[in-house]
Amino acid sequence: MAESVQSTSEAQGRYNPAEIEPKWQARWDADASLYAAEGHSGDGEARAKPKFYCLEMLPYPSGQLHMGHVRNYAIGDALARFMWMRGYNVLHPMGWDAFGLPAENAALKNDTPPAEWTLANIAAMRQQMRRMGLSYDWATEVTTCLPEYYRWNQWFFLKMYERGLAYRKKSKVNWCPQCATVLANEQVVDGRCWRHDDTLVEQRDLTQWFLRITKYADELLDGLDKMDGWPEKVRTMQRNWIGRSEGALVDFAVSESSEKIAVFTTRVDTIFGATSVQLAPEHMVAKGFAASDAALAGQIEEMLAQQKAARESGDLGAIEKHGVDTGKFAINPFNGELVPIWVANYILADYGTGAIMSVPAHDERDFEFANKYGLPVRRVIVPRDKNRQQQDQERNAGVLRSAQNDNVSVENPVEQLPYTAKDDAVLIDSGQWTGESCIEAQKKMAAFAKANGFGSATVTYRLKDWGVSRQRYWGTPIPMVYCTNGHAGTEPGGVVALPESALPVLLPAQVKITQQGGSPLGRVADFVNTACPVCGGPARRETDTMDTFVDSSWYFYRYTDAKNSAAPFDSAKANYWFPIDQYIGGVEHAILHLIYSRFWTKAMLDLGLIANDEPAARLFTQGMVIKDGAKMSKSKGNVVSPDLMIERYGADATRMYALFAAPPDRDLEWQEEGVAGISRFLARVHRLTMKYAATAKEGVGADAAAEAKLLRTLHQTIAKITADFSGRWHFNTCIAAIMILVNEVAAAEPPMDAGNISGPVIAEVFRNLTLMLAPFAPFLAAELWQALGGEGAVFRVAWPVADAELAREEEMEIPVQCNGKLVTVIKVPVGSDAATIQAAALADAKVAARMEGKNVVKTIVVPGKLVNIVVR
RNA sequence: GCGGAGGUGGCGAAAUUGGCAGACGCACUAGCUUGAGGUGCUAGCGCCGCAAGGCAUAGGGGUUCAAGUCCCCUCCUCCGCACCA
């Protein structure tokens, strides 16, 4: 009986996260002020503190947190807690990217309305986040599917419409048959839907709403240069996506016709080397030729069919270049030459003008194509080298050569073709521009084309306007109507913007979700039929909804003023908090969310709502969480559930493992044994601290050396972690450093309460250990803080400051090498000079043995580092 | 093909500036302890070797007293882009 009582009390004293974590969670839930940002308006006391806006990307409420979320939030939470302890006024919010297709799919499957399903998922995930102990200010929570939020999407849409930033046009758009909706270019990956990598995207001609992101193309591009707080990888991806290209448009007239073919080229300086014009198979002029040429029409059809097949098989790159001669000719406006017009499969319809001038001598692709079809290759660019230039001009004068018989590189000191350089290269055989440098010629020739009305210098972008119409139900209704009869000055069915007073346009409830094409809203008569706000006559509402990336483009501004019902947010509040000091999320949003939200920020700046021109000063992209070497996925069956980990080891151990197993930017291999290891470590800290708290705290400090050593380790640990939070973010080594400290405390354990470490010193060690644990294991830190008699919340206690004097080593080990190989390690006082170290090294017996019978050639002594004796 | 990140024990990793390679943890081995259930403690743990010693950071070359780290070449993995005129 007595034994069982004792074992129960022992069990209670043991580290039991299942007991302490819910206890603290309940207390934190009851105290709304704990994680609340102070002074949203930036007034009062908060002004005295520097602000810090710490943000993790908001999740889609699927209903389940996954390990990627856990890792993302563990990083952000550690940073937020650290910044609080450093005395910052921290904004650390969370919200829900709550519109989107999965809710409709769930509705189809379970017959649950999307709103109900989504809100239930949010409740479940919010609870998971609380269980994780994440320090969010729930008073600022944002849920994008609620009218309080999405009415501001509509408001922004109207503002953009007023300024011509939102417009409607008919064009080829990407259609995902799985989603039964249109996608933006950014949402098409390798010709497939970003959500369905087994579903090919189709092209459809539809009239859609677009946002004019291209207006900001240059700003978006140039801004990247200054964004040194963003990973170079993301900046590079965005630069490639924007794809700015400077060149010229030149019109080639079609011979014996009034038609013209505009070509885009970045190398107008090579135009005297053009030996054909190549059209994309979709080009209008090609279609025109095909209309009266059945054979050509058939070949173009075949070309398009092949491209489609290649897209389906996924290896678009493997497709061989081929083309067909249309039999027609175009006139080179610079020299009046007739060149054949071909249709070729390597010409992209949606880049530039869908037509090029082919210059085989100075372009890899044109060269390959000309070789295949025996088209002439004419050299018009040579390196800037007088002799070579002269030699070349003589050889080339007036000669058109085919690729096959041009063996220039074998016997003649002439560049291998194609020669694509433009720096330090000059023109030959190019009329009045012969002898000009390529760079100069480009400017002069574009100006010439402009002066003579057949072209101009121009800039093209790969970036296209953002198509935001979605033929889906669960999204923000677009606040536009079509006036059925048309009032004064407008067409019947013309577009009419709703006035602001008509917002929000509410998404109707009780809508039948189907997988058919066309927005489900189109089948809701009550919604569709409305009155024209201008003439009062009958009108039809726009039934498409907005891309959900609209929601996430500005949500982080709403956090600064989440309850505002008169405006999306108060500018003064946003201006206090912005830019985001640290944004943390996955790299998969590099050219989706992260480019759209930069665009939105620039548009809001132009609307006068904010003062910053970029949303986030610093961006961190964490690595993936993998298992058995592969990304976790249901199909691979290697998903590890955060709930299960928390149940077995506690939230502290789960989060801390996510930070310990790898540096945060690298991929992390999830190993459950590792979580168990962290759990044992936390149990050890708990046991040591509780034992200390329960025993004598007064010691006599008998062992000064042991005390100095412990203090040294303590202050080295503080210094390391403090530096890492503002620098490398290598939390794995931060946690390793804490483990080293704990190992030293444990080594001192038997005598520590008996008195060989004095009371104030051991108190200092436990106090600071607890503080350093707080960002990584908040539940345990709170528990220990209380046991140690700490006042208030541990997360508001000032972060410890490292004392460089206490951290300083007295003695250090210096490796001694002979010929670069380690012989021994000697101990010398820190700061010893070279002579002292050398003397100590030479006095060592092992060193002497090594040197016996040999001559010392050289001795290298690097104070504080090593000694290397070179002998022969 | 182009661009980026990587390649270090059985595993996750460390080495921030060219200066003891493998900190910290996992797994494993041995011993002690505990004893109804992921317990605690001690010791060992890169490879070869009884040892002395030798070898080792994808592979090869180079610079240097000294290279995981700098330079050149090659191979492999992952990510992004991919006929962008």
Side-chain angles (χ1 to χ4, degrees), chain A residues 40 557 560 569-579 609-610 612:
Chain A
H40 271 223
Y557 290 93
T560 66
F569 52 85
D570 180 79
S571 293
K573 292 178 184 177
N575 289 342
Y576 170 72
W577 286 110
F578 270 76
L609 296 173
I610 51 171
N612 51 298

Side-chain angles (χ1 to χ4, degrees), chain A residues 85-86 718-719 722 764 767-769 771-772 797-802:
Chain A
M85 293 173 81
R86 295 281 283 185
I718 296 169
T722 308
E764 186 70 3
R767 178 191 148 86
N768 287 325
L769 171 61
L771 294 178
M772 285 191 285
V797 177
W799 183 259
V801 176

